[in-house]
Amino acid sequence: MKLDAVRRFVSLVDVFTEYTGKLIAWLTIVVVVLTFAIVLLRYGFNLGWIAMQEMVLYAHGAVFMLGAAFTLKHDAHVRVDIFYQQFSIKQKAWVNLLGTIFLLLPVCLFVFYVSIDYVLLSWQLLESSKEPGGLPAVYLNKTLIWLLVLTLTLQGLAEVGRNWLIICDQNANGADHQGDADRHNHSAANKELL
């Protein structure tokens, strides 16, 4: 595959992930407003609705499930950083490339595989909440698992491409790309490559 095609793929997935992440971020405001309303209604007026509480759970789940790819794109996930910080940009690219290929992508495939029956059965039953007055679309909530896998796999493939471009770049010798600004420099190097 030509490097230009890799650059275009990485750029396309990055744009998709960026817009998706920013859109999903608005759900955090929905979670806060709904939670405030639930507490106010419950303790101020002795009122409560199960559907409203479930909406908070659904929105909260969507933020985490659909925000994972955005988190990966911005390198904001948890990293055990013992040696990585001292690596050159190419060494970091190798770690990220191998980690994505041998850890992230297999986990995505595994999650998809083990969730197939779980999600399909929910759709077949058009599963609704077991709670009286709950939301009628539990199957949509369970579908977030597949959307997590899809978006995280796409961003993972973009990360493979991004790191491969860094590895192939003759100018990224690493000596001038060390230190705590690793992702910042990584992003700048990516923009130059793209």
Side-chain angles (χ1 to χ4, degrees):
M1 184 184 293
K2 291 185 176 182
L3 293 181
D4 287 339
V6 174
R7 284 184 186 93
R8 280 193 299 275
F9 174 76
V10 170
S11 180
L12 184 67
V13 173
D14 279 351
V15 167
F16 172 76
T17 301
E18 193 69 25
Y19 284 124
T20 304
K22 288 180 178 179
L23 183 66
I24 293 303
W26 285 99
L27 281 178
T28 57
I29 295 172
V30 172
V31 169
V32 170
V33 169
L34 281 174
T35 302
F36 176 76
I38 288 168
V39 171
L40 181 67
L41 290 170
R42 178 84 168 160
Y43 295 104
F45 302 98
N46 203 24
L47 296 171
W49 293 276
I50 298 294
M52 205 170 173
Q53 293 173 9
E54 288 183 355
M55 276 192 271
V56 171
L57 292 175
Y58 282 34
H60 193 250
V63 167
F64 280 91
M65 300 290 256
L66 301 178
F70 183 80
T71 303
L72 176 63
K73 178 185 178 289
H74 289 278
D75 199 27
H77 54 284
V78 175
R79 182 189 298 275
V80 178
D81 189 1
I82 300 171
F83 304 109
Y84 184 85
Q85 184 177 3
Q86 302 305 318
F87 287 173
S88 70
I89 192 76
K90 282 196 178 186
Q91 290 170 324
K92 290 175 184 180
W94 274 111
V95 170
N96 293 336
L97 178 76
L98 296 174
T100 302
I101 291 172
F102 293 111
L103 296 173
L104 176 68
L105 295 177
V107 167
C108 287
L109 289 173
F110 177 75
V111 169
F112 176 72
Y113 176 75
V114 298
S115 68
I116 291 173
D117 291 338
Y118 180 71
V119 176
L120 286 179
L121 181 61
S122 185
W123 271 90
Q124 286 171 352
L125 300 173
L126 293 177
E127 185 178 5
S128 62
S129 176
K130 293 180 172 108
E131 300 294 327
L135 294 176
V138 172
Y139 56 94
L140 292 177
N141 193 36
K142 289 184 178 181
T143 305
L144 288 174
I145 297 169
W146 286 356
L147 292 176
L148 163 76
V149 169
L150 176 67
T151 56
L152 205 50
T153 299
L154 275 174
Q155 190 59 44
L157 292 173
E159 293 302 315
V160 167
R162 179 185 339 279
N163 288 295
W164 183 249
L165 290 170
I166 291 170
I167 291 165
C168 292
D169 182 19
Q170 300 301 321
N171 297 324
N173 59 15
D176 47 331
H177 290 290
Q178 290 181 340
D180 201 35
D182 97 34
R183 185 58 178 178
H184 196 342
N185 290 338
H186 185 69
S187 295
N190 292 335
K191 288 177 183 169
E192 291 172 13
L193 290 172
L194 298 175

